[in-house]
Amino acid sequence: MAGEFAVRSQALPPPTERYTLLGWAHKNLFSTWYNTLLTFLAFGLGYVLVKPVITWLLEQAEWEVVKVNMRLLMVGQYPMEELWRVWLCLHLLAAIIGLTWGIWVRGRPWLAGALLLAPISFALLPTISDPNRAQLFILAAVALIAYGVGRFRGKGFRRPTISAWVLYFPTIILIIRGLTISEDWLPSVRSNLWGGLLLTFLLTVVGISFSFPLGVLLALGRRSRLPAIRWVSITYIEVIRGVPLVTILFMASNMVPLFFPLGIRTDPVLRAMIGITIFSSAYLAENVRGGLQAISFGQYEAAHAVGLSGFQTMALIILPQALRTIIPVLMGLFIALFKDTSLVATIGLLELLGISRSIMAQPQFIGFQREVLLFISLIYWVISYFMSYISQRLEVALGVGER
Amino acid sequence: MSQQILSDEPIIIARDVHKWYGHFHALKGIDMDVMRGEVIVIFGPSGSGKSTFIRTINRLEEHQRGQIIVDGIELTHDTRNIEKVRAETGMVFQQFNLFPHLTVLQNITLAPIWVRKWKKQKAEEVGMQLLERVGIPEQAAKFPGQLSGGQQQRVAIARALAMQPKIMLFDEPTSALDPEMIKEVLDVMIELAKAGGMTMIVVTHEMGFARAVADRMFFFDEGLIVESGTPDDIFKNPQEDRTKLFLSQILTH
């Protein structure tokens, strides 16, 4: 009898349910009469809505307008002879991403393959010019080499890679902007020539990078016991949240010059960046505050009991947990920020949407709105989905919801 | 019985300590002297002020009247004194309060590295020694959420010990544990008491623990100390009616 319990208590695998395609369809689509009805309705509706689009896509769409204006859409009026600088920034990004992937990411070869295939498949499109094609291949090669370095010599490169990420954005702004001092080395490209996707990226990246620390400070300030700090934070957050982004952009555009000494011409792109940063930080502050409220009081007590100072408690214990919890919310904010950059058209900057509208206004391209809009929608969607995907990977890596 | 008393000066002196939560008078004048190396057990019904009192000792709660002097340092609004006292006291909570985003070993080494400024290697060595002492060295790389309650509480004890405190405060350490895990935590605490040298103040309902290692016991009720004495005095010869009533309620099994 003694062995019987041991045998019975052994865990068995659960019963597997195997379906053929017909079996699956029967269970999920046609199980009852109303399910069957709904299935037919759904398919019918899908057909009615999708068929015209597919037909148009395959038969009537003419992508000439996109092909001819590709440079405008991507970099605006950035001078042709300086485009190598934009490519340089992309190569640097590919190198850093490759390094990061090699050092920290294990597995997921299909995703790596997909990311590598992206520039290569772009390169194979018939509409790409030859020098760009070469650049795209170089991009894939750089990423691959960097991945190899990261994977096989990883340990020594951890700190340099993190520093590289931190320094990347100031560096590319420098590269793209150029130097005003020495015109031979790196001639300056005035920001009114920046446009298209390049400008969208710059605005987004600067917006995220600066609004994040500012938002965290505001959230902490709102919870501070010092009345002055608390009231300043509350006022800032509530005022900015009460005003639409367009209004803030207008105000930034008109009022930022007041803060600089007379005679200094403030860059319109800088004003837009300031406006976006101010706007985003207010929303971010509230999200961080929500995350902070979710931290149980016992964490503070344990940290104090073990001797950590207030600052150490916040930096080592509370903020890591709070920020981890709100990653989905933050990412949503950043994705919205990315698309809100399209509003800077109202202060005269031609980022992706702005420049596509001016393309559509050209006489030779009247009637091709659909192609242009579909193209930029695709770009917005791909990048937004990529950000969303990164957020999910980040959550898994940091164990959100598990620990 | 635990180690002999180490010196003549009490390490904790509480004089006429009062605490209010708003209008609620939680502590109504507590007087207590704790000698170095003593193991004190505080027991009593819920709401009697036992947890409140033990938390005033490391300033997790503020007392509004009276004096509390820990190892010669008086607890007032002066934050430097508070920090010095907290460096000398370790606390184990009923809800464990481990840091969920850090591994077990990181939980233990965090404070020594950032507060005592130890090097990471030294902190990890000491941390692993402590994990062995509480019996779970193999869990070092796991996260608190992956451990059982008894294991988590033992990690909490190791975390408090890592700062090498002079006083260990235990606030109902086994009250949130499943019955089969209570013993493993009490065993660690008994070993700590018998090893000697550590002043321990334990708020608990575990009378077996008190009988085994307590030097003195204090019965709290309604914010006051009703009775105190050695375990022999309390169990065999309780003086006050309320003590007798409470003991009869918790000693039925």
Side-chain angles (χ1 to χ4, degrees):
Chain A
M1 289 302 139
E4 201 180 297
F5 181 74
V7 171
R8 275 194 299 138
S9 68
Q10 287 219 340
L12 298 169
T16 49
E17 301 184 15
R18 251 175 284 169
Y19 293 115
T20 57
L21 189 59
L22 231 55
W24 181 90
H26 175 78
K27 180 177 184 225
N28 290 295
L29 300 178
F30 303 111
S31 50
T32 61
W33 66 268
Y34 48 85
N35 265 345
T36 314
L37 192 63
L38 278 172
T39 303
F40 279 123
L41 266 177
F43 274 120
L45 201 63
Y47 184 75
V48 163
L49 288 176
V50 172
K51 178 169 182 290
V53 177
I54 304 280
T55 322
W56 171 81
L57 255 177
L58 296 176
E59 293 171 11
Q60 297 162 2
E62 292 178 39
W63 298 101
E64 194 68 26
V65 59
V66 169
K67 176 180 163 196
V68 165
N69 292 299
M70 186 63 86
R71 186 174 73 85
L72 276 179
L73 285 169
M74 291 293 129
V75 295
Q77 292 164 302
Y78 208 83
M80 285 265 287
E81 58 276 10
E82 304 296 334
L83 275 182
W84 63 271
R85 285 145 67 165
V86 179
W87 282 112
L88 179 61
C89 296
L90 283 176
H91 291 315
L92 284 175
L93 185 64
I96 296 182
I97 290 184
L99 263 180
T100 312
W101 199 276
I103 297 177
W104 279 291
V105 178
R106 289 285 168 271
R108 294 173 235 294
W110 44 265
L111 178 63
L115 281 181
L116 268 182
L117 277 178
I120 297 181
S121 53
F122 270 119
L124 295 173
L125 285 175
T127 53
I128 305 285
S129 64
D130 284 324
N132 289 344
R133 197 168 297 195
Q135 292 278 17
L136 283 169
F137 277 120
I138 297 177
L139 200 66
V142 165
L144 205 58
I145 296 173
Y147 172 78
V149 171
R151 184 78 163 75
F152 299 111
R153 305 297 224 92
K155 296 298 175 184
F157 279 93
R158 278 181 189 241
R159 277 182 189 252
T161 307
I162 296 182
S163 323
W165 273 113
V166 171
L167 290 175
Y168 177 71
F169 302 116
T171 310
I172 61 167
I173 293 204
L174 192 65
I175 295 178
I176 297 205
R177 200 179 196 304
L179 305 165
T180 45
I181 313 166
S182 157
E183 288 287 330
D184 307 319
W185 250 55
L186 210 64
S188 77
V189 178
R190 284 255 297 263
S191 62
N192 59 340
L193 297 175
W194 306 356
L197 190 58
L198 172 68
L199 185 58
T200 301
F201 265 141
L202 286 177
L203 289 171
T204 309
V205 161
V206 169
I208 292 178
S209 317
F210 283 91
S211 69
F212 187 76
L214 186 58
V216 171
L217 283 176
L218 282 168
L220 295 176
R222 187 163 179 164
R223 285 161 56 103
S224 165
R225 277 170 304 173
L226 304 172
I229 298 182
R230 200 169 66 237
W231 283 110
V232 166
S233 305
I234 294 179
T235 312
Y236 180 103
I237 294 172
E238 296 305 336
V239 165
I240 302 295
R241 288 206 310 169
V243 175
L245 177 56
V246 196
T247 315
I248 295 190
L249 287 174
F250 271 132
M251 286 175 56
S253 180
N254 287 315
M255 285 172 41
V256 164
L258 293 175
F259 292 96
F260 289 78
L262 255 146
I264 301 218
R265 193 185 151 278
T266 43
D267 201 309
V269 173
L270 178 67
R271 294 181 225 168
M273 286 174 176
I274 292 179
I276 289 179
T277 302
I278 291 178
F279 182 76
S280 174
S281 61
Y283 288 82
L284 210 144
E286 283 299 279
N287 290 333
V288 172
R289 192 169 72 95
L292 287 172
Q293 283 179 327
I295 307 295
S296 77
F297 209 55
Q299 293 290 302
Y300 291 91
E301 295 191 337
H304 292 319
V306 99
L308 294 171
S309 74
F311 177 74
Q312 288 170 328
T313 307
M314 200 42 91
L316 297 169
I317 308 294
I318 308 297
L319 275 181
Q321 292 182 55
L323 293 176
R324 226 165 40 123
T325 320
I326 57 171
I327 286 178
V329 186
L330 284 189
M331 222 22 158
L333 191 68
F334 293 152
I335 294 176
L337 197 157
F338 167 66
K339 290 175 291 174
D340 282 341
T341 55
S342 51
L343 289 170
V344 302
T346 52
I347 50 173
L349 297 174
L350 297 173
E351 43 63 65
L352 187 60
L353 183 66
I355 206 138
S356 29
R357 296 182 74 190
S358 68
I359 288 173
M360 292 191 288
Q362 292 173 296
Q364 68 263 42
F365 291 121
I366 292 192
F368 289 107
Q369 286 94 328
R370 288 194 201 123
E371 286 84 349
V372 177
L373 288 173
L374 204 64
F375 182 71
I376 62 169
S377 304
L378 186 67
I379 295 184
Y380 275 122
W381 182 81
V382 165
I383 297 177
S384 300
Y385 185 78
F386 185 67
M387 290 171 81
S388 167
Y389 179 78
I390 292 195
S391 144
Q392 290 172 37
R393 303 306 325 154
L394 209 57
E395 284 180 52
V396 168
L398 294 177
V400 174
E402 285 168 31
R403 58 175 199 247
Chain B
M1 272 308 207
S2 74
Q3 207 69 331
Q4 76 271 26
I5 309 305
L6 294 179
S7 92
D8 285 347
E9 270 303 306
I11 193 171
I12 298 178
I13 302 174
R15 286 277 170 273
D16 193 36
V17 173
H18 287 258
K19 167 139 187 92
W20 284 264
Y21 285 112
H23 286 296
F24 176 63
H25 198 174
L27 294 176
K28 297 175 182 161
I30 305 290
D31 290 284
M32 190 191 283
D33 282 359
V34 179
M35 311 303 290
R36 284 168 206 280
E38 262 198 300
V39 177
I40 304 281
V41 166
I42 300 179
F43 66 107
S46 55
S48 56
K50 350 183 265 296
S51 289
T52 308
F53 174 66
I54 197 178
R55 287 152 64 97
T56 55
I57 297 181
N58 67 352
R59 202 68 173 183
L60 287 184
E61 302 287 352
E62 286 181 20
H63 59 283
Q64 279 99 358
R65 195 191 291 174
Q67 270 188 315
I68 300 182
I69 302 175
V70 177
D71 200 17
I73 307 165
E74 178 164 359
L75 277 175
T76 57
H77 292 292
D78 190 340
T79 34
R80 281 166 306 164
N81 282 353
I82 296 177
E83 284 175 11
K84 275 189 236 165
V85 166
R86 284 184 180 160
E88 299 303 324
T89 53
M91 187 152 193
V92 177
F93 298 87
Q94 183 176 352
Q95 301 295 335
F96 329 141
N97 288 337
L98 292 178
F99 306 131
H101 60 298
L102 301 174
T103 63
V104 159
L105 190 59
Q106 285 169 338
N107 260 271
I108 298 175
T109 57
L110 182 78
I113 291 176
W114 289 94
V115 180
R116 297 243 193 254
K117 313 276 193 251
W118 289 3
K119 287 257 181 296
K120 185 170 165 195
Q121 195 177 4
K122 175 182 177 192
E124 287 186 350
E125 273 173 30
V126 172
M128 287 308 295
Q129 283 170 8
L130 285 169
L131 277 176
E132 292 205 23
R133 187 174 178 186
V134 301
I136 41 173
E138 71 282 356
Q139 310 286 350
K142 290 205 183 153
F143 288 93
Q146 298 168 294
L147 302 180
S148 73
Q151 291 170 325
Q152 289 189 43
Q153 193 62 299
R154 288 188 274 164
V155 172
I157 296 176
R159 178 178 65 174
L161 288 174
M163 289 293 282
Q164 297 172 335
K166 294 190 184 138
I167 305 168
M168 281 287 277
L169 304 168
F170 294 82
D171 187 1
E172 302 210 39
T174 57
S175 298
L177 294 175
D178 290 335
E180 65 266 21
M181 291 189 262
I182 293 180
K183 180 176 183 302
E184 67 195 51
V185 174
L186 286 180
D187 283 344
V188 170
M189 291 164 65
I190 291 175
E191 183 264 329
L192 194 61
K194 289 196 173 152
M198 177 75 75
T199 313
M200 290 168 68
I201 305 184
V202 184
V203 173
T204 186
H205 297 298
E206 298 292 326
M207 293 296 119
F209 171 81
R211 241 191 280 259
V213 289
D215 290 316
R216 271 191 299 159
M217 297 174 67
F218 287 81
F219 176 59
F220 271 57
D221 195 7
E222 294 187 17
L224 285 170
I225 297 178
V226 173
E227 196 171 339
S228 70
T230 65
D232 270 348
D233 293 340
I234 296 286
F235 289 122
K236 293 183 185 152
N237 218 357
Q239 300 291 321
E240 299 287 332
D241 284 338
R242 278 187 287 178
T243 320
K244 291 181 199 168
L245 178 63
F246 184 73
L247 283 174
S248 72
Q249 286 168 333
I250 66 171
L251 288 177
T252 45
H253 54 270

